[in-house]
Amino acid sequence: MSLLIKNEIGKIFGKKSSWIYMVIILIAVVLGGILQKNFTEEPSKNWREETQARVNQLEQDLKTAPEEEKEWMMADLQQQQKYLDENINPNAMSNWHFMNQTVYGITTLVTLFAVIVSSAIVSSEFSDGTIKQLLIRPHERWAILLSKYLSAVIYSLLLVIVLIVSGYIAGSLIFGTGEFTAKFFEFTLEGGRKIAEIGPQFFLKVLYYLPSLLVFITISFMLSTLFKSQALAVGIGIFVLFLSSTLGGLIVMLAEKYTWAKFLIFPHMDLTVYALQDKILEDVTLPISLLTLSVYYVIFMLLTFTIFQKRDVSI
């Protein structure tokens, strides 16, 4: 099996596109850092004095403000006071702030490239006419298919590593190194804010991102075994990727009325929600989402290997 995996990884890196994807991630990280540096205020050493002055000004303005403005002014006042109470610089910026804000957002590119590679890894054998030569080797079909799947997973994880390492280096060079456990306010999906530690929060998001990435790889890999056309497999894989985010939000709203909607896969595809809040819906927590994804994962894998075992490889 190890030789099969090594051979498949060699095939992946034998294509220029596989290296180009890594270069694009590096460029995206550097450009993201430069843009954030140019459009972000420089952290002030006197931020406490400035924040206290803001609090004092808001307290004065509240006395004469129109009723329709008092609500947002009070919310701003409370937030400014929280910065002081928790000793959190609202304009703080370091490599870990960059990692949590910008680098994590680039995981969308990682998922896209993982989907493209996974969608093409089997279908390209049909398109190139090399599937027969592949299957005449003294290996079971399931072993050949598993080696391709594991190779796609390994390559995708390498993309994640490239993103994290390049993000840390670029962030350190552009913004300087900061405290790993520095506190900051993270926005929740409901519009509130929670106090978190910047470094651990970033890695928590990455940890929650990995199961979703694995499911996208699995769906794309299944499509790669279903279609002999590489273009069709990749196209549908990308379509599913972008459709999932849209459907996820719609089905979450639908699930508030219909219980069955909670068991569809799309609301559970973005587990990073749990880095911000404990529930997606009133009774949908992380264990339920993981269980739901696990069930779909097993179904996708069974379909993939069953179809490939019985597939007519005539070209």
Side-chain angles (χ1 to χ4, degrees), residues 17-312:
S17 58
S18 300
W19 295 100
I20 291 173
Y21 297 152
M22 290 186 171
V23 172
I24 290 175
I25 289 173
L26 290 171
I27 293 173
V29 167
V30 174
L31 285 179
I34 294 173
L35 290 173
Q36 188 166 345
K37 179 71 172 179
N38 291 335
F39 290 97
T40 303
E41 291 184 35
E42 286 291 332
S44 173
K45 294 181 180 179
N46 301 319
W47 69 269
R48 289 193 64 89
E49 291 80 359
E50 294 172 0
T51 304
Q52 185 61 62
R54 172 71 175 167
V55 169
N56 295 338
Q57 185 63 51
L58 284 168
E59 288 175 340
Q60 291 295 322
D61 293 344
L62 270 171
K63 297 176 181 178
T64 57
E67 288 297 323
E68 61 271 17
E69 295 182 8
K70 285 187 175 181
E71 184 176 353
W72 70 263
M73 291 178 67
M74 180 59 70
D76 189 14
L77 173 61
Q78 292 173 349
Q79 183 58 51
Q80 297 300 320
Q81 188 61 52
K82 286 180 181 178
Y83 286 131
L84 293 172
D85 295 341
E86 300 293 339
N87 196 33
I88 297 175
N89 184 348
N91 297 320
M93 181 55 64
S94 69
N95 54 341
W96 289 113
H97 290 83
F98 172 65
M99 295 278 281
N100 190 67
Q101 295 172 11
T102 303
V103 173
Y104 177 75
I106 302 175
T107 54
T108 303
L109 274 181
V110 172
T111 307
L112 174 61
F113 296 148
V115 164
I116 293 174
V117 171
S118 302
S119 299
I121 197 167
V122 177
S123 58
S124 62
E125 299 282 1
F126 286 99
S127 296
D128 298 339
T130 56
I131 188 66
K132 283 186 175 180
Q133 289 79 4
L134 181 67
L135 295 181
I136 61 175
R137 295 179 180 181
H139 299 286
E140 296 288 340
R141 280 195 180 193
W142 67 265
I144 294 173
L145 191 62
L146 181 60
S147 67
K148 284 184 170 294
Y149 176 73
L150 293 176
S151 299
V153 172
I154 291 170
Y155 176 76
S156 301
L157 291 177
L158 286 175
L159 291 179
V160 175
I161 292 172
V162 168
L163 175 64
I164 293 174
V165 173
S166 62
Y168 181 80
I169 294 173
S172 299
L173 292 175
I174 297 173
F175 300 102
T177 57
E179 186 180 352
F180 181 74
T181 57
K183 291 182 179 180
F184 79 115
F185 282 103
E186 179 84 290
F187 285 96
T188 67
L189 298 183
E190 298 173 349
R193 300 192 186 195
K194 59 173 283 188
I195 298 175
E197 294 181 341
I198 191 74
Q201 181 72 355
F202 168 74
F203 284 108
L204 183 63
K205 288 181 179 179
V206 172
L207 181 64
Y208 287 155
Y209 163 73
L210 292 178
S212 303
L213 176 63
L214 182 63
V215 173
F216 276 119
I217 293 170
T218 306
I219 293 173
S220 304
F221 188 75
M222 179 178 66
L223 293 171
S224 189
T225 63
L226 290 176
F227 301 103
K228 292 183 179 181
S229 169
Q230 179 180 344
L232 185 61
V234 173
I236 295 177
I238 294 174
F239 175 75
V240 171
L241 171 62
F242 288 104
L243 183 67
S244 65
S245 59
T246 303
L247 285 181
L250 292 175
I251 294 174
V252 165
M253 292 188 291
L254 188 65
E256 295 177 354
K257 186 175 181 181
Y258 302 103
T259 303
W260 56 265
K262 299 175 184 178
F263 302 105
L264 298 176
I265 190 173
F266 295 106
H268 308 280
M269 291 296 284
D270 184 11
L271 296 182
T272 56
V273 171
Y274 293 110
L276 306 175
Q277 56 195 47
D278 297 329
K279 300 178 181 180
I280 294 179
L281 293 167
E282 185 176 350
D283 55 350
V284 178
T285 57
L286 178 60
I288 293 175
S289 289
L290 287 174
L291 179 60
T292 303
L293 289 180
S294 298
V295 171
Y296 279 99
Y297 177 82
V298 171
I299 293 173
F300 294 148
M301 292 295 284
L302 287 175
L303 283 173
T304 300
F305 280 82
T306 301
I307 291 170
F308 190 75
Q309 283 289 109
K310 300 179 178 181
R311 187 74 181 270
D312 179 11

